[in-house]
Amino acid sequence: MKLELDELDRRILHALQRDASQTNQQLAAAVHASPPTCLRRVRRLVEEGVIARQVALLDPERLSAALTAIVEITLDRQGDEEQQAFEEIVAQEAAVQQCYRVSPGPDFVLVVLVADMPAYHGLAHRLFASQKNVRNVRSYFSIRRSKFETAVPLESVHMP
């Protein structure tokens, strides 16, 4: 069932996507609602799974994780069991930031964040070369990140 969001819900979500560290008082002032109303709405959005979690976004370059790779993976056997098995292996690797099953083309696209090429080589050996079902790996290395957003666009969300 798709959740319907009203204008206040959307303002709250926009504000939290910009800065989830603000207090309920600050959030209420920013979205022009009373603090109790704002708190009630945020709790509902959390309970209904719209707000999945709140995290701190770190700058990887300040933490020596400066190499981003976009990796296409094609499996030899593409059955559901084989794809789930690959996803379970990838989920255990902290350097894999994102994993997508895609179609058409490769079976998976991964976003990987590592310190350098030797670290990528080690990861590639663990995740790809040592897996019998991985047929093809194609890696692209980021030269510069010109845009990075975490906010989900709310403009297309249905209003009641």
Side-chain angles (χ1 to χ4, degrees):
M1 183 174 104
K2 203 169 196 177
L3 178 68
E4 291 189 7
L5 303 174
D6 66 13
E7 184 57 35
L8 178 56
D9 291 329
R10 290 169 60 150
R11 289 195 314 264
I12 289 170
L13 291 170
H14 274 296
L16 288 174
Q17 286 189 107
R18 280 190 305 278
D19 181 6
S21 70
Q22 57 194 313
T23 67
N24 184 59
Q25 299 285 342
Q26 293 168 324
L27 179 61
V31 301
H32 309 291
S34 72
T37 297
C38 196
L39 185 60
R40 199 169 40 252
R41 294 289 186 110
V42 170
R43 282 186 180 149
R44 180 180 61 85
L45 293 166
V46 169
E47 288 168 3
E48 294 184 359
V50 174
I51 299 174
R53 59 187 171 147
Q54 296 180 23
V55 299
L57 298 178
L58 308 180
D59 183 346
E61 291 183 9
R62 291 184 168 263
L63 299 169
S64 300
L67 183 63
T68 301
I70 312 301
V71 185
E72 296 178 351
I73 305 295
T74 303
L75 300 180
D76 197 32
R77 294 174 312 281
Q78 289 93 6
D80 196 49
E81 275 185 36
E82 288 85 3
Q83 289 186 341
Q84 285 180 10
F86 182 76
E87 287 172 333
E88 288 170 12
I89 292 166
V90 167
Q92 296 173 25
E93 184 66 50
V96 177
Q97 301 290 292
Q98 299 171 48
C99 174
Y100 300 94
R101 274 194 204 187
V102 296
S103 179
D107 298 307
F108 292 93
V109 173
L110 309 179
V111 177
V112 174
L113 184 62
V114 292
D116 52 25
M117 282 306 287
Y120 177 78
H121 184 265
L123 176 132
H125 181 73
R126 283 190 309 278
L127 288 184
F128 316 136
S130 66
Q131 302 301 316
K132 293 178 183 170
N133 196 33
V134 173
R135 179 179 5 151
N136 190 37
V137 177
R138 184 178 222 172
S139 301
Y140 305 90
F141 298 97
S142 173
I143 297 168
R144 182 176 76 91
R145 180 170 76 180
S146 59
K147 181 177 181 181
F148 175 79
E149 291 295 330
T150 60
V152 174
L154 297 171
E155 290 71 29
S156 62
V157 174
H158 181 67
M159 298 280 288

